[in-house]
Amino acid sequence: MQIGDWAVLLTAATAAGWVDAVVGGGGLIILPTLLLVSPGIAPQTALGTNKLAAVAGTSASVVTFARKVPIRWRVLVPAAVIAAATAGTGAAAVSLIDRDLFIPIVLVVLVGVAVFVTLRPSIGVTLATHPPTRRKLVLTVALAAGLIGFYDGLLGPGTGTFLIITFATLLGTEFVRAAAMAKVINCGSNVGALVFLAATGHILWALGMTMAVGNVLGAIVGARMALRKGAEFVRIVLLVVVIGMVIRLGWQQFG
């Protein structure tokens, strides 16, 4: 690749880190850019290289959020381990399942998310008046980690977004706290998928580590902006990203 190609990928990785830290969905920036700059790259190699950068970015987001937002580590760390295991399973199942079958389902879910967030402006903007019981919290987080973690390994786009919406809707969590929770679990799912893809030789290490630098920078800036500007800012970015994902996946499926 030429120096210009590296610059484009570093810029894309930085933008993806910012988006991922705020609402998730950064993979929709990095993956198309990788495939555009390197047309001959295998899809799994693009995914693995993206995961290397994403692990660094999500880790930086977790550290940044943890300084300002209370994080229930005893619940979220085991959930991250579950997400790592299911994401690795999802990555292993890629060759066995026609992923194109999932895209229409994901599109329907994303449209539903956009409509729901638009019609329910209070969701994620304020904390629930009646906090969930510990049992409900543990079950919701564990199930979300398992199911969405598997999706992350299998397909990927919008993993953080789905986690944030799940926590805001089912637990009544405010968007900034939901984003912090999502980053812990997303870090686990990224690690799980990365381990499998590394073991099968689907990572361009030099490129991935270079992109990781940009991803970390974007993640830190994004997390700080989310903390500073609050839930309404996250809500607006969430809607923009969801609409962008619908357009991107719709074009991929039907264009």
Side-chain angles (χ1 to χ4, degrees):
M1 290 190 295
Q2 303 297 319
I3 294 177
D5 296 332
W6 285 83
V8 168
L9 288 170
L10 188 59
T11 302
T14 304
W18 187 92
V19 171
D20 245 348
V22 180
V23 292
L28 284 174
I29 298 174
I30 290 185
L31 288 175
T33 306
L34 267 172
L35 295 171
L36 179 65
V37 172
S38 302
I41 192 173
Q44 279 186 301
T45 302
L47 181 62
T49 305
N50 168 54
K51 287 299 179 188
L52 179 57
V55 164
T58 49
S59 299
S61 295
V62 169
V63 172
T64 304
F65 275 119
R67 291 173 178 167
K68 299 290 184 180
V69 177
I71 294 180
R72 303 183 74 161
W73 296 108
R74 281 200 248 182
V75 174
L76 291 171
V77 170
V81 174
I82 292 172
T86 56
T89 304
V94 166
S95 61
L96 305 176
I97 300 174
D98 184 358
R99 297 198 303 169
D100 287 342
L101 295 177
F102 283 81
I103 293 179
I105 298 173
V106 174
L107 280 169
V108 171
V109 173
L110 286 170
V111 170
V113 166
V115 172
F116 181 75
V117 173
T118 300
L119 296 180
R120 297 284 299 276
S122 63
I123 290 293
V125 176
T126 57
L127 285 169
T129 53
H130 301 289
T133 63
R134 180 173 176 81
R135 181 179 180 182
K136 181 178 180 180
L137 173 68
V138 170
L139 285 175
T140 301
V141 170
L143 283 173
L147 295 174
I148 300 176
F150 179 80
Y151 166 80
D152 191 20
L154 182 68
L155 194 60
T159 297
T161 307
F162 291 138
L163 288 168
I164 290 171
I165 287 295
T166 298
F167 298 147
T169 304
L170 298 183
L171 300 177
T173 309
E174 180 258 347
F175 274 142
V176 175
R177 295 190 184 189
M181 294 170 65
K183 286 302 103 184
V184 177
I185 295 173
N186 200 183
C187 190
S189 67
N190 282 334
V191 169
L194 178 66
V195 168
F196 175 82
L197 292 164
T200 53
H202 288 293
I203 296 177
L204 300 176
W205 291 97
L207 179 58
M209 287 188 285
T210 301
M211 292 168 60
V213 174
N215 208 255
V216 167
L217 292 174
I220 292 172
V221 173
R224 287 179 176 177
M225 284 187 70
L227 288 166
R228 186 172 69 252
K229 292 182 177 293
E232 186 58 39
F233 168 74
V234 176
R235 179 178 178 273
I236 293 170
V237 176
L238 176 68
L239 282 170
V240 171
V241 170
V242 167
I243 292 169
M245 283 193 283
V246 169
I247 294 171
R248 173 69 181 86
L249 291 174
W251 179 266
Q252 178 182 332
Q253 181 71 12
F254 306 110

